[in-house]
Amino acid sequence: MKKTIFTLAMLCCTIMGNAQVTDEQSAILQVGDNAQIFYGADALKEAMEAAPDRGATITLSSGTFNACEITKCVNIYGAGWVTENPPLNNESSIQNSILPTNIVNQMVINLPEGLAAPHNIHIEGVRFPDNSYHWIKVSSTIDGLEFMKCWMPQAIRFEQQNDHVTITQCFIAGGCTGGHDLLIQNSYTRLSQLTVLKAESNIVVNHCIVTNGYNFNYTENRFLCLNSMFSCSWLCKAQTFRYCTLNRADLDGYVGSTNNIFNVDYATIFKDQANMDYSDARTFELKDDLKATYIGDDGTEIGINGGNYPWNKAPHTPIVKDLQLTISGTNLKVTYNAETR
């Protein structure tokens, strides 16, 4: 009976999004009112194999999971890419902390040809590996894909037609290649690459912080940049910049570029730090006197804290607290408090 109660407790916690420390990483596959639990490093792979072609949600605990091939229209939720409520220096316990969900090795999205669009795959709250050989590869045609609140230190590579793709509130280091119908919003990016699938591609970068971007000077890389902060050595006249801040004197010859703010010193505009460097603790909040000056085309502030998705790394899954189990005959009664992050 004790083993059964423990398993059911784990099930309830994970379905509600509790990502607190557990003895073993777990994945919950939920389809409607039915749920299955899988344990261990291959739990994500096993949950994917057991999922139907569409309509399933896989919720991952904290811990490290082996990547799998995504062949179905699923939602995947992790515990986030940073440690929440980390212990203080004088504390030895981390029982109140929420540790990240890590996915290691290469993640591949490869949908079968017969799987009808829209696909609407959602991946949120996971940390992908910092390994140059383990990029995220989308090898099949896809219509409907969103990454939200993820750490992506390597590239996302699209190899086929891709439509309705959104990247929101993410850290992106390696960039995106072969994007077509792509929106990157409210993300911190070190876009060493941002390339288009074809000349007619529609790529928009909105309310982002963009550093590096050294190969933006490729003439075929046409995309629109809105309400974003750029600190890049190289840009290309094929790109359009509107309501952006830039650390350069002008955009002469950039057709369609308007309402930009030039010669911005990024060492002087933020409250929390005197640079644009990323850290998990950064808020990138503008100084008060600039919030009314750096205004984008949507009436909100330029940068990562404006727009519809102000910078926030915490996944949407709630935290379960005060979980209590009582037995009444053959029934297990579960009570808990769920709090948003």
Side-chain angles (χ1 to χ4, degrees):
M1 179 59 73
K2 289 184 179 180
K3 180 178 178 61
T4 302
I5 292 175
F6 176 74
T7 303
L8 288 171
M10 289 283 290
L11 181 63
C12 293
C13 288
T14 311
I15 289 175
M16 292 304 297
N18 187 20
Q20 292 177 324
V21 183
T22 58
D23 292 334
E24 188 174 11
Q25 61 268 55
S26 63
I28 292 294
L29 170 65
Q30 188 168 0
V31 184
D33 294 331
N34 299 317
Q36 293 176 264
I37 188 167
F38 303 87
Y39 292 102
D42 285 328
L44 172 59
K45 178 181 178 181
E46 293 169 1
M48 183 67 62
E49 292 173 348
D53 285 344
R54 62 179 72 241
T57 295
I58 298 173
T59 305
L60 303 175
S61 70
S62 301
T64 299
F65 298 84
N66 292 323
C68 68
E69 186 174 66
I70 297 178
T71 58
K72 300 166 183 179
C73 303
V74 297
N75 298 316
I76 298 175
Y77 290 89
W81 86 60
V82 297
T83 299
E84 293 188 43
N85 305 320
L88 301 176
N89 293 333
N90 60 351
E91 292 180 341
S92 59
S93 173
I94 61 171
Q95 63 180 358
N96 292 320
S97 297
I98 303 174
L99 303 182
T101 297
N102 301 288
I103 294 180
V104 298
N105 304 317
Q106 187 176 45
M107 176 69 82
V108 177
I109 301 175
N110 186 23
L111 303 180
E113 291 185 8
L115 194 58
H119 302 116
N120 295 337
I121 295 172
H122 181 92
I123 301 174
E124 179 174 340
V126 300
R127 186 182 187 106
F128 290 97
D130 188 4
N131 185 308
S132 59
Y133 297 102
H134 292 159
W135 61 84
I136 301 168
K137 183 170 71 171
V138 185
S139 57
S140 61
T141 297
I142 193 163
D143 185 348
L145 171 64
E146 180 171 36
F147 291 95
M148 177 172 272
K149 300 174 184 290
C150 291
W151 169 281
M152 296 183 287
Q154 295 305 325
I156 305 172
R157 298 190 179 183
F158 295 94
E159 298 182 345
Q160 304 290 335
Q161 180 77 21
N162 50 94
D163 295 288
H164 303 103
V165 179
T166 306
I167 300 173
T168 304
Q169 294 173 320
C170 291
F171 172 92
I172 312 166
C176 301
T177 62
H180 175 59
D181 180 16
L182 170 65
L183 169 63
I184 304 174
Q185 59 186 350
N186 293 92
S187 295
Y188 183 98
T189 65
R190 296 174 185 154
L191 290 175
S192 59
Q193 297 184 34
L194 182 55
T195 65
V196 298
L197 181 67
K198 49 192 174 185
E200 298 79 15
S201 295
N202 177 36
I203 296 181
V204 178
V205 178
N206 190 26
H207 281 292
C208 291
I209 290 177
V210 183
T211 64
N212 297 336
Y214 60 80
N215 76 337
F216 278 19
N217 60 329
Y218 287 2
T219 57
E220 65 269 25
N221 290 343
R222 181 181 62 85
F223 45 84
L224 173 62
C225 306
L226 295 172
N227 310 310
S228 296
M229 297 181 172
F230 281 82
S231 177
C232 301
S233 300
W234 299 97
L235 299 174
C236 175
K237 293 181 181 180
Q239 290 125 35
T240 303
F241 297 83
R242 297 174 186 161
Y243 293 87
C244 294
T245 64
L246 302 103
N247 60 336
R248 57 186 291 162
D250 59 62
L251 286 175
D252 292 344
Y254 286 67
V255 178
S257 295
T258 60
N259 298 98
N260 296 296
I261 303 173
F262 299 104
N263 294 320
V264 174
D265 182 0
Y266 291 114
T268 64
I269 69 172
F270 299 113
K271 283 185 176 182
D272 59 347
Q273 202 164 303
N275 54 49
M276 294 183 79
D277 296 345
Y278 175 82
S279 74
D280 288 343
R282 290 296 303 266
T283 65
F284 297 104
E285 184 179 357
L286 287 172
K287 291 181 178 178
D288 291 338
D289 60 324
L290 296 178
K291 291 181 179 180
T293 304
Y294 288 13
I295 298 296
D297 69 341
D298 57 2
T300 68
E301 65 182 75
I302 294 172
I304 205 167
N305 286 302
N308 295 323
Y309 301 93
W311 184 240
N312 185 322
K313 300 183 292 295
H316 287 108
T317 48
I319 301 170
V320 173
K321 293 184 176 181
D322 302 323
L323 180 70
Q324 297 182 9
L325 305 176
T326 56
I327 298 173
S328 177
T330 59
N331 297 319
L332 179 67
K333 182 179 180 181
V334 182
T335 60
Y336 59 85
N337 291 321
E339 300 178 2
T340 57
R341 301 193 188 195

